[in-house]
Amino acid sequence: VLVLGGMALRAASKKLRGHAQLEPSWYIFIFITCLLGWFAGVLGGDDIFSELMLPALESANLNSYSGVNVEFARGQQLMDAGRIAFLNSTRLDIKKSMAFKNNDVFCVAPIVHGNDRLATYDFWAVGVNCCSPTLPNFHCGDFNNPRAHSGMRLNEDTERPFYRLAVQQAEAEYGIKATHPLFFTWMEDPTMGGTVGAAVGDRSGWLSYRNVGNPGKNTAAGNESKSLGWMQEQANRWWLMEASACFVIQFLLVAAATLAFSRLGHF
């Protein structure tokens, strides 16, 4: 881009000094389109990294635990957990789910083992816009997958306070205790590709349709759990798509400019 800018500036300066035979239109055109493409690449790449790759890297950098029994484990013991494989009999207690609405609906459901009341409910499955704001009907992550007994740690600092408020509401509503709640996306395998579920629902932001594979308004059904492998796969996929789109747009612009310059006699 800098080289093209220098060439365009040099050609334009020669034109201004009276070199009528030199026509800087192509240099300026290529410089401007490449500069716009560079800005689009920076913005798109940063968005892909922050929305897809960064959460995967943050979870991968944390510790991984297996065979965790929520009856005896405490949140303080697993502060560095990025991925947890709970006991196979672990499930979500949908009847004790809760939601906190602040534009989006932040949904929580306790992760339990067995039917006995826990001393403290420190492990919670979470999601956005995948539950009712007034009824206990949690539909986030792999909530309906009988093979789902694992969770990937929430890394969104901006969402964590709203999930805490939802947990506090659940404590008051159901008379339970959550000493140190940790939040997870409920899924079958956090290290592999996402399975059909509802990790997120309708979210604002231009990248939101990548998370669910469908632009615009989205319901809980048809969304995907955002596992490590799935996020990395999506990041690569969208990088290739955006790079290809940039080349296609550049080709069309050059074709249009060729036609326009030919009619003006500027080459």
Side-chain angles (χ1 to χ4, degrees):
V1 176
L2 293 177
V3 172
L4 289 173
M7 294 173 64
L9 181 61
R10 181 181 178 184
S13 63
K14 287 184 177 181
K15 172 67 175 178
L16 293 175
R17 288 199 299 268
H19 293 264
Q21 73 278 13
L22 294 176
E23 191 56 61
S25 302
W26 272 115
Y27 293 111
I28 296 175
F29 170 81
I30 295 296
F31 168 68
I32 292 175
T33 55
C34 287
L35 183 63
L36 292 176
W38 180 80
F39 276 116
V42 170
L43 294 176
D46 180 72
D47 206 39
I48 291 174
F49 179 79
S50 60
E51 293 289 338
L52 295 172
M53 288 303 299
L54 186 59
L57 293 173
E58 288 178 343
S59 294
N61 289 334
L62 294 174
N63 210 343
S64 179
Y65 295 91
S66 60
V68 174
N69 188 337
V70 296
E71 288 189 86
F72 306 107
R74 298 292 179 263
Q76 295 94 326
Q77 298 174 297
L78 303 174
M79 290 290 293
D80 63 342
R83 290 160 289 168
I84 291 183
F86 300 97
L87 295 178
N88 289 338
S89 53
T90 305
R91 60 181 179 87
L92 301 181
D93 191 350
I94 306 297
K95 294 181 179 180
K96 290 186 176 65
S97 63
M98 183 58 66
F100 180 85
K101 182 175 176 61
N102 182 34
N103 293 324
D104 291 315
V105 180
F106 296 86
C107 313
V108 299
I111 301 172
V112 300
H113 179 260
N115 297 317
D116 294 335
R117 187 183 186 87
L118 301 183
T120 178
Y121 292 77
D122 283 353
F123 302 91
W124 294 78
V126 300
V128 179
N129 295 331
C130 47
C131 67
S132 168
T134 57
L135 299 174
N137 61 347
F138 188 86
H139 295 91
C140 310
D142 288 346
F143 75 99
N144 58 350
N145 183 353
R147 297 188 300 272
H149 307 292
S150 302
M152 187 168 71
R153 184 79 170 271
L154 171 75
N155 291 310
E156 291 288 341
D157 293 333
T158 57
E159 296 180 357
R160 191 173 291 110
F162 300 114
Y163 290 130
R164 289 186 180 277
L165 290 172
V167 169
Q168 290 174 13
Q169 289 184 170
E171 289 181 284
E173 177 71 19
Y174 305 118
I176 59 178
K177 176 182 174 184
T179 305
H180 194 97
L182 302 180
F183 305 117
F184 300 86
T185 298
W186 186 249
M187 57 181 61
E188 180 179 348
D189 188 347
T191 63
M192 302 300 292
T195 55
V196 174
V200 293
D202 176 27
R203 299 299 306 277
S204 59
W206 77 279
L207 187 61
S208 61
Y209 64 88
R210 295 178 185 164
N211 296 336
V212 295
N214 184 29
K217 298 294 182 180
N218 299 289
T219 59
N223 293 324
E224 291 184 337
S225 301
K226 297 189 291 184
S227 65
L228 296 178
W230 183 83
M231 286 190 290
Q232 292 169 346
E233 179 183 344
Q234 290 296 303
N236 293 332
R237 173 172 170 260
W238 279 97
W239 179 85
L240 289 173
M241 290 182 64
E242 291 181 1
S244 300
C246 182
F247 283 116
V248 171
I249 293 173
Q250 179 73 0
F251 174 80
L252 294 176
L253 289 175
V254 169
T258 301
L259 180 62
F261 289 171
S262 64
R263 292 182 177 180
L264 294 173
H266 294 315
F267 279 97

